[in-house]
Amino acid sequence: MNTAAAHPGAADANGILLLSCPDRPGIVSAVAELIFRHGGNIVHAEQHTDTEASVFLQRVEFGLRGFGLSRDELRVAVEELGARFGMTAAVRFSDERCRVALLASREPHCLYDLLARWRGGELPADVALVLSNHPDHAATAEHFGVPYHHLPTEPGGREAQEVAMVDLLRAARVDLVVLARYMQILSPAMIAAYPHRIINIHHSFLPAFVGARPYHQAHERGVKLVGVTAHYATDDLDQGPIIAQDVVHVSHRDDVADLIRRGRDLEKSVLAEAVLAHIEHRILVYGNKTVVFT
Amino acid sequence: MNTAAAHPGAADANGILLLSCPDRPGIVSAVAELIFRHGGNIVHAEQHTDTEASVFLQRVEFGLRGFGLSRDELRVAVEELGARFGMTAAVRFSDERCRVALLASREPHCLYDLLARWRGGELPADVALVLSNHPDHAATAEHFGVPYHHLPTEPGGREAQEVAMVDLLRAARVDLVVLARYMQILSPAMIAAYPHRIINIHHSFLPAFVGARPYHQAHERGVKLVGVTAHYATDDLDQGPIIAQDVVHVSHRDDVADLIRRGRDLEKSVLAEAVLAHIEHRILVYGNKTVVFT
Amino acid sequence: MNTAAAHPGAADANGILLLSCPDRPGIVSAVAELIFRHGGNIVHAEQHTDTEASVFLQRVEFGLRGFGLSRDELRVAVEELGARFGMTAAVRFSDERCRVALLASREPHCLYDLLARWRGGELPADVALVLSNHPDHAATAEHFGVPYHHLPTEPGGREAQEVAMVDLLRAARVDLVVLARYMQILSPAMIAAYPHRIINIHHSFLPAFVGARPYHQAHERGVKLVGVTAHYATDDLDQGPIIAQDVVHVSHRDDVADLIRRGRDLEKSVLAEAVLAHIEHRILVYGNKTVVFT
Amino acid sequence: MNTAAAHPGAADANGILLLSCPDRPGIVSAVAELIFRHGGNIVHAEQHTDTEASVFLQRVEFGLRGFGLSRDELRVAVEELGARFGMTAAVRFSDERCRVALLASREPHCLYDLLARWRGGELPADVALVLSNHPDHAATAEHFGVPYHHLPTEPGGREAQEVAMVDLLRAARVDLVVLARYMQILSPAMIAAYPHRIINIHHSFLPAFVGARPYHQAHERGVKLVGVTAHYATDDLDQGPIIAQDVVHVSHRDDVADLIRRGRDLEKSVLAEAVLAHIEHRILVYGNKTVVFT
């Protein structure tokens, strides 16, 4: 997909509707009619019906050039439509870029990878800040021109550290928190502050090998593939809605260090894939699952 | 996707529209409105806009239970809609199963695989006949309860063989011809008789290694992966619209016999994937490309 | 690899040594010298040292044409070598084909696939019999010319059924038992009778989703890939040494029926891969892990 | 594989032999005996016989701790062995790190990726310099502490530019030249100066789409996968020995910009894989093919 989100610009901006509701006839027609009536041209639409749960989910993207409603008027119109169908509805605009915070601990590879993609134009978002419980990445952040905050986690100071963190995130008006191999467990309060807006990369193909040192667990079990999982952080550690997963084949030749090295490539690409899907507004969460439109 | 095509039954049949036309506002709305107005519920819809070529393509599947139009009336209504938008439109029904002919030469693996999938319920179609230029597969066809026709290709008799073949296909009212490793080159007349209704499996990742003995070519070149391509047969050998491709990694340890063995698995799965997409009416062809909806 | 195992024939047979022992200098040299001294030419050799466990493992394949020792003399010589290094050693010959039993319950796809590969020459082994707790596959076995035994599992008759099964396996001098989607749990006695000679295909990427209905579990969890695992059966259900694994990407569009369908392709190819590795004598088990040489 | 090359240190250094010769009995034995006689312990050995070409190829890695020969004496001993078997033989040591030059044009992603891997300890080599025909990457090189050389290619000045380049490479005692998306065609003189020591990343699965703009070619053809190829540069453009390849699935939704973005991830990982194999001395070239040991 080459959404306009990737190439923003006020004149050519698109409106994006993310809709979910109990399934029933007429939804697609009503949404399409609303857009058409005001002169919008749908450039991309995808829908999914979970027949088991009887849930309808849709993402519609349409051009705003010549569209007859202002952004606020559109929000009102979608709200009315939502009320009619019992819909959860979100309205986004391709030129209103997500503000992203990158959190890392010692390991730099995901942080580097995301920053390099961002600078290369692959991630249409604003990286507002880099935050770490270690001082290691200050020069890297500076190289990419992003503010760096070192918030050490001192014994007994976990809570204070997290309060300071949330203050920083709020001050920077952050929409999305990316745990780029950030190894601290977040408190329920922190997670509640950013519902379905914290993406973590776990270094196993969940639900295998939850918890600590998954590559060591994988090696011990003698698996023939290792994997990684990008998911939204929830109160249940490693149990949140899965966004993306991938694996790589390994063999008896690979010791733990090899698994870690091979896993790193997956961590980078899978985390980037999940972040891109989020900032292009292609993810809908329902129950403990995601729909990731292409 | 779990289309109704996979679970046919008159009561629960779905209508399927395959539409393509020059892109312009209002198409999605008009299609959705037509279905909704007559009481249909859209269970699956996908659309694609090729912005470069300015072509709009859509597949819409909706439940016929309670739908207010007969099948013939639906055809007329879609024709009218098509005329309005300059559309190429096809109307299919999930309970009208494709009639399929399987053509094979000596190698049995694709033939076997398709017949086993078909018997296992994976391919919602009617296998009308198996046809070969060799006598080898008679017992196999009999085991699966499918008529077998042996049409040898004698020197100077190519034309006669093909005439007999087309006669058989017509008599059996075949909709789709699957070249399951059928190694004879088809004449332009035969291809014209089944436009975009002949699927071939070529044993390389096209456009690499067109022509004969692609695994030998691949081994000679020292590639690190071999692949296969399912495509619609056209007059240009190995140049038709690609439907599906896949590859497998190989190494210096693999000699030509190994490449052939590894390739076989791909040939089976990629051909089956392409046939399934065709009989579920998920493929649209435009220019020399396909859109394969999921 | 194109081992001679794939192309047997007394004149061109190869000897195969499977060796494991505590790591120490001189092993490779002693093995190579033994073969060279008697005029054998090593055509394939692979070794692996698990440095953590300090275990050395090796597979050596060499041509018997012109080799100075008889098969029995070779066995004695390897035994002597083994005693010197504290080695576990096995001697195999590429022209002494494994005798294989295929066990299936209702689902036919793995059974079909293995039989078709076998007939196509992909599996250099003798399929001695097909055995099932259902009558369904009699015609299939007959089509492939393999004896079929229907051993129903009656309430309270599990033990008797298994005794009859082991009798049949013994009478047929079976070396390898393949659980081609055989859904009965084997007793410890049965497993003890065929140590590391029973291969099972589990329909998840172990250790995720052990136990029953793994595709349902996977769907419930909302994973983005499903997988399968071929492993040796041990007393611990789904915990035996893993031989091969693979996964396929899935999406929100795939319901449980789709996962089952996609998984089937993996089950077929991964089980066949494991069986081929076993009958080509390429697997060494140590601890709860396998070394699968290529 | 976790070769000592990845964890160098004089005391624990390994010797590595890369051998190729016409196949005949006794080679494996003679090599193993040479190492064992002087007290070396083989930690890794792989061999391959191309039976068609009757060529034997081997890589042996052994511990130098307690080894009875000096490095020069080992070289002499291997030379003598080589003379006996008509062998091409190379002797490497895991603690003598490759000196690498990275060449890039405008696109930064491969350059960044290699530098980040190198700093993260994934690439056991010395990056001697970064060289570009553009000034763009000076800050990046500085950030990683690597000398940067901007050698513009002026009209009519191609030859002079290349002479300056070779001078720089020689002055820096470079062993391996990595074309990290360096878009200038190298002269035969340059290639002759670094035989099988220039690695290029081509952005297609060769031999498909040789030449310019392969992603555009791929999009035009409507392929369902795009790929990349790492190969040694030779005089024949895009025809050199292939080291590594990979592909990613694409669909009708992906326009040229998407193919380029998806391809970038492959370019990074496949190029890094090829560079790692080279600097760990795991590649043997024969004819126009490579053997890449694991």
Side-chain angles (χ1 to χ4, degrees), chain A residues 1-2 44 112-113 117 119 122 139-140 143-144 253-255 258 261 264-265 268-269 276 294, chain D residues 1-2 44 112-113 117 119 122 139-140 143-144 253-255 258 261 264-265 268-269 276 294:
Chain A
M1 184 183 61
N2 188 10
H44 201 78
Y112 244 115
D113 184 72
R117 286 174 196 268
R119 178 183 277 179
E122 268 183 47
T140 298
H143 175 59
F144 285 96
R253 296 204 181 285
D254 295 294
D255 60 20
D258 294 316
R261 179 175 58 77
R264 257 187 227 132
D265 267 20
K268 292 187 290 188
S269 58
L276 184 63
T294 50
Chain D
M1 184 184 60
N2 189 9
H44 201 77
Y112 246 116
D113 184 71
R117 286 174 195 268
R119 179 184 277 179
E122 268 183 48
T140 298
H143 175 60
F144 285 97
R253 296 204 180 285
D254 296 293
D255 61 20
D258 294 315
R261 179 175 58 78
R264 257 187 226 132
D265 267 19
K268 292 187 289 187
S269 58
L276 185 62
T294 52

Side-chain angles (χ1 to χ4, degrees), chain D residues 130-151:
Chain D
V130 173
L131 196 154
S132 176
N133 53 332
H134 294 283
D136 312 37
H137 312 299
T140 298
E142 189 187 4
H143 175 60
F144 285 97
V146 176
Y148 186 73
H149 299 275
H150 171 214
L151 291 181

Side-chain angles (χ1 to χ4, degrees), chain B residues 38-104:
Chain B
H38 297 288
N41 187 27
I42 295 176
V43 294
H44 201 77
E46 268 190 282
Q47 66 175 79
H48 173 62
T49 308
D50 183 326
T51 49
E52 207 181 311
S54 199
V55 173
F56 172 88
L57 307 110
Q58 191 179 29
R59 179 189 189 278
V60 184
E61 182 166 354
F62 61 99
L64 291 175
R65 184 190 291 265
F67 192 64
L69 298 181
S70 71
R71 295 186 180 200
D72 279 343
E73 288 167 344
L74 174 64
R75 284 193 189 93
V76 171
V78 170
E79 208 168 295
E80 285 168 8
L81 191 79
R84 199 169 125 208
F85 287 97
M87 231 173 225
T88 304
V91 181
R92 309 276 182 232
F93 299 97
S94 62
D95 58 355
E96 297 181 359
R97 293 157 71 102
C98 260
R99 291 183 61 77
V100 178
L102 303 179
L103 275 60

Side-chain angles (χ1 to χ4, degrees), chain B residues 1-2 7 44-46 112-113 116-117 119-120 122 139-140 143-144 253-255 257-258 261 264-265 268-269 276 294, chain C residues 1-2 7 44-46 112-113 116-117 119-120 122 139-140 143-144 253-255 257-258 261 264-265 268-269 276 294:
Chain B
M1 183 183 60
N2 188 10
H7 314 289
H44 201 77
E46 268 190 282
Y112 245 114
D113 184 73
R117 287 174 195 269
R119 178 183 278 180
E122 268 183 48
T140 297
H143 175 60
F144 285 98
R253 296 203 181 285
D254 295 295
D255 60 20
D258 294 315
R261 180 175 56 79
R264 258 187 227 132
D265 268 19
K268 292 187 289 188
S269 58
L276 184 62
T294 51
Chain C
M1 184 184 59
N2 188 10
H7 314 289
H44 202 76
E46 266 190 284
Y112 246 116
D113 184 73
R117 287 174 196 269
R119 177 182 277 179
E122 269 183 47
T140 299
H143 175 59
F144 285 98
R253 295 202 182 286
D254 295 294
D255 61 21
D258 294 315
R261 180 175 56 77
R264 258 188 226 132
D265 268 19
K268 291 187 288 187
S269 58
L276 184 63
T294 52

Side-chain angles (χ1 to χ4, degrees), chain C residues 103-127:
Chain C
L103 276 59
S105 290
R106 280 201 192 283
E107 294 235 39
H109 56 281
C110 283
L111 177 62
Y112 246 116
D113 184 73
L114 289 170
L115 287 168
R117 287 174 196 269
W118 172 64
R119 177 182 277 179
E122 269 183 47
L123 295 177
D126 294 328
V127 176

Side-chain angles (χ1 to χ4, degrees), chain B residues 21 67 105 109 233 263:
Chain B
C21 62
F67 192 64
S105 289
H109 57 280

